[in-house]
Amino acid sequence: MAPTQLADVGAVALVASLAISIYVVIAALYSVRAKKPQFLASAENGIYLIAGLTTLAAAILEYALITNQFRFEYVATHTSSDQPLLYTISALWGGQEGSLLFWAWLLAIFAAIVLIQNRAQNRELIPAVTIFLAFTEGFFLLLVVLLASPFKLLEFTPAEGKGLNPLLQNPGMFIHPITLYLGYVGFTIPFAFALGALATGRLNDMWIRTTRRWALWSWLFLSLGLLFGMRWAYVVLGWGGYWGWDPVENSALIPWLTATAYLHSVMIQEKRGMLKIWNHVLIMLTFILSILGTFLTRSGIVQSVHAFGVGQMGPFFLAFIGLVVLGFLYLLYARLGDLREENELHSLLSREATFLLNNLLFVGAAFATLWGTIFPMISELVTGNQISVAAPFFNQVNGPIFLALILLMGICTLIGWRRASPEKLAHNFGKPFIAALGIVIALFFLSIRDLAGLIAFGIAAFVMGSLLIEYYRGIRARVRQYNENALVALLNLVQKNRRRYGGYVVHIGIVLAVIGITGSTLYQREQQYNFKPGETISFEQYTLTFEGLQMTPAANRDIIAARLKVTENGNPIGTLTPSKDYYRAADQNTTEVAIRSTLREDLYLILAGWTNDGTATIKIVINPLVTWLWIGFGVFICGTIIAALPDPREAIVRAPSRVREAASAA
Amino acid sequence: MQNVIATPDIRATTSPRAGSLKFLIAGVLIVAAMAFAVLASFQDNTVYYLTLPEFSAQKAKFAGQVVRVNGPLDQASIQLDQKTMVLKFNMKDGGIVQPVVYKGVVPDTLTNGESVVAEGKLDAQGVFQANSILVKCPSKYEESK
């Protein structure tokens, strides 16, 4: 097909999807009002149809990208014929129009999956869920139809495209937006069920149980998105760090924080029938902040509020967010009487209390980060001058909050539900506390003398101790009771209660990450040197010999690399080649750092520049313990997957739903 | 950790609002502590973000103060001493020309950057001593225009 025909089909598919999503909202509403279930069936078919049509639209755009149809404005501005196929594929979500289409497409697929999952259950909630999903879908379709059409054609066909931004041509950047968007979009599902519960008055914890996996997988993908983003910053941006409190990074972290609070607080509702309103509010915040995150990344508003008017998208997002919040608050207010707590909190020394504190801290960190992120825009609106907030603000506020959260992670595992007796507590705290004290004293003699480091490592040791004791106890109980050997007991322990022990694996991962973050934040060293060819320079235990620059042309870029032979304490550890890549189509350089990782520290080399006589300027950075951050993330992800996989106990819970509802009503 | 079916006794317990006050007090204290932390560190870490004409008009007000200035980059003025890694360039907006000096790793996007955000302060000679510079592209995820 000719580009014009392809573009027409794509544009028509999107307009049709928009029309159908409006129909779905109306039909599902009518089915409830007029008690005509056939209209709900029709609305559900509408969702499936939207899934099909948006898939077609995304496929057309992807086809146009891969076949370099530069007549498409989006293709011409985001690909070039010489760039690797991988990044031509990822150009689908590399720009504004494409990424909004990607959002709409993912949501349509998710909506269809939800309806298939719930064909025989939760039928009372489905009309409201369908209405909200179609409403949100309609919003994103409206944006791609009215404001940011990916199927806009140019008057002529350019000979060559501009190519994807070279900074984005990295495998991490291929996967980072996908995972981030899977997370953002996924939170729409639990929120839709929360609204369904409010709309129908079925306010037991069924909506939470039904969407637990959706929330958990979305959270996992958001975490992966953060991980890939950090990794990308570390290996591609080449400033030696992985987190800069950049507004774009923050806008992914903020919903992650509220989602983490939500994952914890729903346990209190499931166990004790408490925090019902709070849980509704948390999932609403997570959804809104995901939308806000999409908006902040996509609109350019971060640079200046003036982009708000220019981009046209601002008012649309504001109106959508406003409508959702108002609708939510109205429903919540109408149901306040039915959201009474079923239990009371008794003691500040209880696991419930630690969960409450955890929630306050997570939400506090989310608001502090949000405040620092949007303050420049607010100040510009109010005073005309933009006042921005630097990274130290985020570190000063969030550092202590995060450390308190980590400490709480350890306390929580040691403290009982309802009311803990001081004697029991003292007994439980003893061993981890001694472990922490031992570590702190050892570190002190290893000449780590700064307070922040000692506190952070001490807390990490305390939490790790408490988690290991928890595993030890579980294993010992099984060994005694069933005569299993320790390894079998461990596997069975996790298998029998994946949610709990998977959660503990997540916590272990976080402790490891804390070790990495503490080491690389507090003890980073860096130095910049000018190397003449053949010159040798020593930095701490490393000796670097510069062998010269070499240029290698690649398909779409020229690579200029500095070869450095490195020895550590006199032992050769190989040649490192930090380089700069010059991308011809974009006329832009990217920095390719060279990293030599060990569990102890990373040696991180940046080629900062060179002169005509062959002298190279190399920045040497030593990042202690940073590998533990990535290891911790790996453990964290395994733990989340363990907790998200089906749990045999839950199958038993799910079957007699009437029985449980009777129990919760009692 | 018991599942819900096994613990109907917990759900059935109801009691008067005896314990809620201490929770309220504890909660308020923690929220207040966080709010205080935000306000306290906010004061020390805010930096004015100004366009070149705004900065130029208020030079006296911002003398010696760290600010962020955003201005169009005069490509012709870029001088980089590779030996010392000292970068000199001008921001130029209409008739306003502001020389900037920066020492450090030069951003890759400088040579085709349109505008620059420099953070630092003005010295006595009227030269802007930048301790960090950011070459502007619309968004990290948007292609640079």
Side-chain angles (χ1 to χ4, degrees):
Chain A
M1 272 199 284
T4 48
Q5 289 167 308
L6 272 179
D8 284 346
V9 175
V12 168
L14 291 181
V15 173
S17 300
L18 175 58
I20 297 167
S21 63
I22 295 168
Y23 167 76
V24 170
V25 171
I26 295 168
L29 265 176
Y30 183 69
S31 79
V32 181
R33 281 287 145 91
K35 299 204 165 44
K36 288 187 173 156
Q38 66 270 32
F39 276 91
L40 181 61
S42 167
E44 289 188 49
N45 286 334
I47 294 278
Y48 297 133
L49 199 53
I50 295 172
L53 287 169
T54 48
T55 305
L56 176 68
I60 287 177
L61 186 59
E62 190 62 273
Y63 174 77
L65 286 165
I66 292 171
T67 54
N68 289 317
Q69 310 228 6
F70 295 129
R71 185 77 194 274
F72 284 70
E73 189 182 1
Y74 188 78
V75 177
T77 46
H78 293 92
T79 63
S80 62
S81 55
D82 60 356
Q83 79 188 26
L85 178 65
L86 190 67
Y87 306 121
T88 304
I89 294 173
S90 70
L92 181 66
W93 50 86
Q96 188 184 66
E97 296 85 356
S99 63
L100 289 172
L101 173 62
F102 192 63
W103 225 103
W105 177 54
L106 284 181
L107 182 61
I109 299 287
F110 285 4
I113 294 173
V114 161
L115 290 183
I116 291 170
Q117 282 178 334
N118 289 283
R119 269 177 308 187
Q121 54 173 346
N122 300 313
R123 292 311 296 171
E124 307 82 357
L125 299 184
I126 290 306
V129 169
T130 309
I131 290 169
F132 182 70
L133 291 178
F135 175 67
T136 308
E137 178 70 25
F139 167 68
F140 279 94
L141 288 168
L142 192 69
L143 294 180
V144 283
V145 166
L146 278 189
L147 300 180
S149 172
F151 296 110
K152 207 163 129 196
L153 292 175
L154 295 165
E155 295 292 315
F156 60 100
T157 308
E160 183 54 277
K162 288 160 102 179
L164 188 68
N165 186 339
L167 286 174
L168 303 185
Q169 298 195 25
N170 169 273
M173 268 297 108
F174 179 85
I175 194 92
H176 163 77
I178 305 182
T179 49
L180 205 56
Y181 275 38
L182 283 169
Y184 278 162
V185 178
F187 284 119
T188 315
I189 307 297
F191 180 53
F193 276 81
L195 282 175
L198 286 176
T200 56
R202 301 182 65 82
L203 293 161
N204 58 30
D205 56 19
M206 200 56 213
W207 69 271
I208 293 175
R209 287 170 186 280
T210 299
T211 57
R212 187 176 91 82
R213 292 236 144 61
W214 279 100
L216 207 51
W217 283 105
S218 305
W219 184 73
L220 172 64
F221 280 118
L222 202 53
S223 312
L224 281 171
L226 289 168
L227 165 65
F228 290 127
M230 287 160 78
R231 190 68 202 165
W232 173 70
Y234 191 63
V235 301
V236 176
L237 290 187
W239 51 275
Y242 42 80
W243 190 268
W245 298 107
D246 174 288
V248 174
E249 294 167 343
N250 293 349
S251 61
L253 177 68
I254 298 165
W256 185 89
L257 291 170
T258 56
T260 312
Y262 170 80
L263 289 179
H264 288 95
S265 72
V266 291
M267 291 184 221
I268 300 289
Q269 180 166 351
E270 288 177 50
K271 283 200 166 296
R272 306 283 318 264
M274 302 167 70
L275 302 181
K276 292 178 177 178
I277 299 173
W278 181 239
N279 286 328
H280 274 95
V281 170
L282 277 181
I283 195 65
M284 183 275 286
L285 282 176
T286 304
F287 172 75
I288 293 294
L289 291 167
S290 296
I291 297 284
L292 193 69
T294 310
F295 173 59
L296 288 178
T297 353
R298 280 297 155 207
S299 64
I301 193 174
V302 166
Q303 273 74 32
S304 165
V305 269
H306 302 311
F308 189 83
V310 179
Q312 292 177 315
M313 251 175 227
F316 278 82
F317 270 94
L318 207 60
F320 176 74
I321 290 174
L323 274 176
V324 172
V325 173
L326 284 179
F328 168 81
L329 289 178
Y330 169 75
L331 285 174
L332 191 70
Y333 179 73
R335 295 290 176 193
L336 268 187
D338 301 328
L339 286 165
R340 272 191 304 271
E341 307 282 74
E342 293 164 32
N343 276 297
E344 276 287 320
L345 286 172
H346 298 290
S347 166
L348 288 170
L349 287 180
S350 65
R351 194 171 277 190
E352 290 90 327
T354 64
F355 272 64
L356 276 184
L357 183 55
N358 145 310
N359 266 252
L360 276 183
L361 293 172
F362 267 116
V363 174
F367 271 98
T369 311
L370 181 67
W371 176 244
T373 307
I374 63 172
F375 185 80
M377 303 163 216
I378 295 174
S379 69
E380 190 179 359
L381 276 179
V382 175
T383 66
N385 276 334
Q386 216 187 77
I387 302 170
S388 54
V389 191
F393 164 75
F394 295 103
N395 288 330
Q396 279 171 23
V397 175
N398 286 333
I401 293 182
F402 288 153
L403 274 182
L405 276 168
I406 308 292
L407 180 62
L408 209 52
M409 223 163 70
I411 294 174
C412 179
T413 38
L414 299 174
I415 206 167
W417 290 100
R418 305 186 74 185
R419 191 189 295 274
S421 71
E423 300 78 42
K424 189 94 196 300
L425 272 185
H427 173 255
N428 286 348
F429 274 70
K431 283 175 190 157
F433 184 74
I434 290 168
L437 204 62
I439 293 280
V440 169
I441 291 170
L443 288 174
F444 188 81
F445 283 105
L446 287 169
S447 78
I448 290 183
R449 299 283 158 86
D450 63 305
L451 192 62
L454 289 176
I455 290 176
F457 286 126
I459 287 177
F462 172 76
V463 178
M464 193 56 105
S466 72
L467 288 165
L468 293 181
I469 286 172
E470 193 68 17
Y471 271 98
Y472 171 73
R473 284 200 188 129
I475 292 169
R476 194 181 54 183
R478 287 197 74 87
V479 168
R480 284 189 186 156
Q481 197 174 348
Y482 303 107
N483 242 337
E484 294 167 341
N485 77 44
L487 190 67
V488 175
L490 171 65
L491 291 175
N492 277 331
L493 186 71
V494 175
Q495 169 70 19
K496 287 273 152 51
N497 195 344
R498 291 198 180 150
R499 188 172 178 185
R500 178 177 179 184
Y501 288 96
Y504 288 155
V505 172
V506 170
H507 286 180
I508 290 175
I510 289 174
V511 174
L512 296 178
V514 165
I515 293 170
I517 292 169
T518 307
S520 55
T521 310
L522 295 181
Y523 309 112
Q524 187 184 62
R525 280 100 66 190
E526 57 175 62
Q527 190 70 50
Q528 192 163 300
Y529 294 104
N530 290 320
F531 283 85
K532 290 190 185 69
E535 191 177 0
T536 298
I537 282 170
S538 289
F539 184 58
E540 301 198 1
Q541 78 270 36
Y542 300 100
T543 309
L544 298 92
T545 308
F546 177 50
E547 298 183 331
L549 290 163
Q550 68 185 49
M551 191 180 102
T552 329
N556 59 340
R557 61 192 197 275
D558 298 317
I559 302 163
I560 295 111
R563 293 177 54 84
L564 292 131
K565 198 169 241 171
V566 185
T567 64
E568 182 179 13
N569 298 322
N571 307 311
I573 54 173
T575 304
L576 291 176
T577 50
S579 63
K580 268 195 196 292
D581 291 7
Y582 172 72
Y583 284 78
R584 291 186 287 266
D587 181 27
Q588 189 183 322
N589 285 322
T590 66
T591 300
E592 304 292 320
V593 299
I595 305 171
R596 189 259 187 175
S597 292
T598 63
L599 292 180
R600 198 179 117 92
E601 65 192 21
D602 276 14
L603 175 67
Y604 184 105
L605 303 181
I606 306 160
L607 175 61
W610 57 85
T611 54
N612 290 334
D613 65 357
T615 304
T617 308
I618 306 280
K619 188 169 169 185
I620 305 171
V621 185
I622 290 178
N623 281 318
L625 299 175
V626 71
T627 304
W628 292 98
L629 171 63
W630 315 119
I631 294 175
F633 252 114
V635 173
F636 172 101
I637 284 154
C638 292
T640 313
I641 292 173
I642 291 172
L645 286 174
D647 190 325
R649 294 174 119 194
E650 225 169 293
I652 306 166
V653 177
R654 178 161 289 188
S657 74
R658 290 248 175 78
V659 178
R660 206 182 47 257
E661 266 163 39
S664 70
Chain B
M1 207 177 280
Q2 314 91 325
N3 71 34
V4 179
I5 290 182
T7 57
D9 54 320
I10 293 182
R11 285 181 164 254
T13 12
T14 45
S15 65
R17 307 197 151 263
S20 33
L21 186 65
K22 61 186 174 197
F23 276 90
L24 196 66
I25 293 171
V28 168
L29 283 178
I30 290 159
V31 172
M34 285 194 290
F36 176 76
V38 168
L39 290 176
S41 48
F42 202 73
Q43 297 293 328
D44 308 335
N45 289 298
T46 50
V47 177
Y48 271 89
Y49 183 106
L50 306 157
T51 62
L52 182 56
E54 285 168 356
F55 176 68
S56 176
Q58 307 171 75
K59 269 185 185 166
K61 181 181 166 193
F62 293 111
Q65 188 182 337
V66 174
V67 290
R68 240 174 255 178
V69 179
N70 174 15
L73 172 64
D74 180 5
Q75 282 285 345
S77 68
I78 298 177
Q79 288 174 30
L80 176 62
D81 183 338
Q82 287 287 1
K83 283 259 160 54
T84 55
M85 289 309 282
V86 171
L87 172 74
K88 292 180 182 171
F89 62 89
N90 291 338
M91 290 185 189
K92 192 175 168 192
D93 192 346
I96 306 166
V97 177
Q98 175 62 55
V100 180
V101 173
Y102 166 75
K103 188 174 185 326
V105 175
V106 177
D108 291 322
T109 43
L110 185 77
T111 47
N112 51 2
E114 275 180 5
S115 65
V116 174
V117 180
E119 184 175 313
K121 50 188 165 190
L122 210 58
D123 66 12
Q125 284 72 44
V127 175
F128 193 82
Q129 298 285 345
N131 45 39
S132 82
I133 58 171
L134 192 94
V135 181
K136 258 190 135 174
C137 50
S139 152
K140 262 205 268 194
Y141 304 119
E142 225 7 61
E143 77 126 17
S144 52
K145 295 201 168 97

